[in-house]
Amino acid sequence: MEYKTYLEKEKYSLTTIDSYIKQVEKFTHWCKNNNTTVEEIDYKTILKYIKYLQEKKNTKKTVNHKIGTLKTYFKYLLAAYYRADNPIENINIKGIKRTINYVILESDELEDLYYSFETENIKDNYHRLTAKRNRIIVGLLMYQGLTTTELIRLEIEDLQLYKGKIYIKSGTRSNARTLELKSWQIIEFLEYIKEVREEIILRKELESNRVFIPNNKRLGITISHIIKKLKKTNNKVINIHQIRASVITNWLKQYNLREVQVFAGHRYISSTERYVQDDLESLHEIVNNFHPIS
């Protein structure tokens, strides 16, 4: 399997694929000039390559990006059995300051948004059905930190309700993962799948394997309306990105960096590091233990 085919299977965009391949070509050329190959290069020689990039006056952010693209390439080399190890996996460039510029909602604030979402005192029957659907969406935002794209792509086969879990497919920038559902989410999901969703499908005269009806762009509009409603409950609410940032930040108070990386579906540990709060000194120590390069 060629590298391009691997990237296509991993659902990278055409622009990203082109960029990644060009970076690999430059790296391969450097390896040749330094009497090694991509199949044989070791950790020490990788460090020499990083020093070479730094000497070329690349910023730390640019160097980190180039190393990030090569991490994907080494994953390919492992998958294609060209290598038995990944010497670049835990290398990150120390000193890159990334911050999340959102007001972070605490766990109890997120939970309050879920429980405050009205589903019963609605006169119109169809609107009551869509409110129940929307409350489940709110739960997936507050507890699992899903994105709009992930909500749109959810299919019935992704639900593992009797195991209390939900499967999230990989995306162009995210890894697949299986997440735990809260017990109350499971109960509401069962009602939704057996009754509510069926009624909405009949009303809309649709056939679909998607969990949420309607889907695609229209569901995106629905989620925007949900956010506006949540803002009325708590005026600190800004958008779905802020909610996801809050969920990830709160996870970091309970779990280690690697666990949160999996929960969030981040491809790189550096993406998770962005959510580390400055006052969590112990987490900074964890970050610095992943072979930091000054």
Side-chain angles (χ1 to χ4, degrees):
M1 177 173 58
E2 292 185 357
Y3 185 43
K4 183 178 180 182
T5 306
Y6 173 82
L7 293 174
E8 289 171 344
K9 288 182 71 174
E10 291 293 311
K11 299 179 181 178
Y12 284 89
S13 69
L14 292 175
T15 304
T16 301
I17 290 172
D18 184 54
S19 172
Y20 277 30
I21 289 174
K22 286 179 180 176
Q23 185 57 43
V24 165
E25 287 172 351
K26 291 177 182 178
F27 176 63
T28 304
H29 181 70
W30 182 89
C31 288
K32 185 178 180 181
N33 288 341
N34 287 268
N35 301 313
T36 187
T37 66
V38 294
E39 292 86 3
E40 297 172 346
I41 192 169
D42 57 15
Y43 178 75
K44 276 190 174 182
T45 313
I46 290 286
L47 297 186
K48 288 181 182 178
Y49 178 65
I50 291 172
K51 188 176 181 180
Y52 161 78
L53 292 176
Q54 292 171 331
E55 288 172 349
K56 297 284 285 184
K57 305 300 181 184
N58 288 293
T59 65
K60 287 183 177 180
K61 186 174 181 180
T62 300
V63 173
N64 207 46
H65 174 71
K66 289 177 184 292
I67 295 303
T69 63
L70 291 179
K71 285 180 181 179
T72 303
Y73 181 59
F74 276 92
K75 282 184 181 179
Y76 155 73
L77 293 176
L78 278 171
Y81 302 105
Y82 289 114
R83 289 191 67 106
D85 67 325
N86 185 344
I88 204 170
E89 183 178 10
N90 292 321
I91 291 179
N92 289 302
I93 309 304
K94 187 179 177 182
I96 300 171
K97 184 67 176 177
R98 294 184 177 90
T99 56
I100 301 300
N101 297 316
Y102 288 120
V103 174
I104 298 300
L105 302 171
E106 298 295 330
S107 295
D108 57 349
E109 291 181 288
L110 295 173
E111 193 154 71
D112 183 59
L113 287 169
Y114 173 73
Y115 280 111
S116 299
F117 199 87
E118 185 61 63
T119 61
E120 295 302 326
N121 299 319
I122 302 171
K123 291 182 180 180
D124 181 78
N125 184 54
Y126 180 69
H127 288 159
R128 188 162 57 251
L129 292 173
T130 56
K132 288 187 175 183
R133 174 202 63 198
N134 293 350
R135 181 181 165 104
I136 289 176
I137 291 173
V138 171
L140 293 172
L141 295 177
M142 304 303 163
Y143 296 116
Q144 286 76 34
L146 299 194
T147 66
T148 298
T149 301
E150 288 168 342
L151 288 164
I152 290 171
R153 295 176 63 217
L154 270 180
E155 296 184 340
I156 296 298
E157 65 182 18
D158 299 326
L159 301 179
Q160 304 170 18
L161 299 181
Y162 291 100
K163 292 182 180 179
K165 297 178 180 180
I166 186 169
Y167 175 72
I168 311 301
K169 297 183 183 73
S170 62
T172 54
R173 296 184 179 180
S174 62
N175 287 334
R177 69 259 191 215
T178 299
L179 300 172
E180 300 279 346
L181 292 168
K182 303 292 185 183
S183 57
W184 50 91
Q185 285 182 285
I186 298 168
I187 293 168
E188 292 192 347
F189 246 126
L190 287 169
E191 179 194 4
Y192 171 72
I193 296 301
K194 291 180 179 179
E195 300 174 20
V196 177
R197 182 177 175 278
E198 291 301 312
E199 183 64 29
I200 293 175
I201 284 176
L202 285 173
R203 293 282 191 111
K204 292 290 182 182
E205 297 181 344
L206 293 171
E207 286 187 20
S208 176
N209 291 322
R210 304 281 185 177
V211 171
F212 298 114
I213 309 295
N215 50 33
N216 298 331
K217 290 183 179 179
R218 292 193 64 186
L219 186 62
I221 294 169
T222 297
I223 292 170
S224 295
H225 288 316
I226 289 172
I227 296 298
K228 287 180 182 177
K229 195 168 184 178
L230 295 175
K231 189 173 178 63
K232 291 179 181 178
T233 302
N234 185 337
N235 61 15
K236 287 162 68 176
V237 173
I238 301 170
N239 55 36
I240 192 172
H241 305 294
Q242 175 212 23
I243 291 172
R244 176 170 162 81
S246 299
V247 172
I248 294 171
T249 302
N250 290 323
W251 276 339
L252 283 165
K253 296 174 184 177
Q254 304 175 61
Y255 307 101
N256 68 46
L257 206 61
R258 288 294 185 188
E259 288 176 308
V260 176
Q261 180 189 5
V262 173
F263 297 158
H266 291 152
R267 290 196 166 172
Y268 306 113
I269 196 74
S270 57
S271 297
T272 314
E273 288 171 10
R274 296 172 62 218
Y275 298 86
V276 177
Q277 299 296 284
D278 290 337
D279 58 342
L280 300 178
E281 293 179 1
S282 61
L283 288 175
H284 279 296
E285 290 177 11
I286 293 171
V287 172
N288 290 337
N289 283 333
F290 286 103
H291 301 291
I293 308 296
S294 297

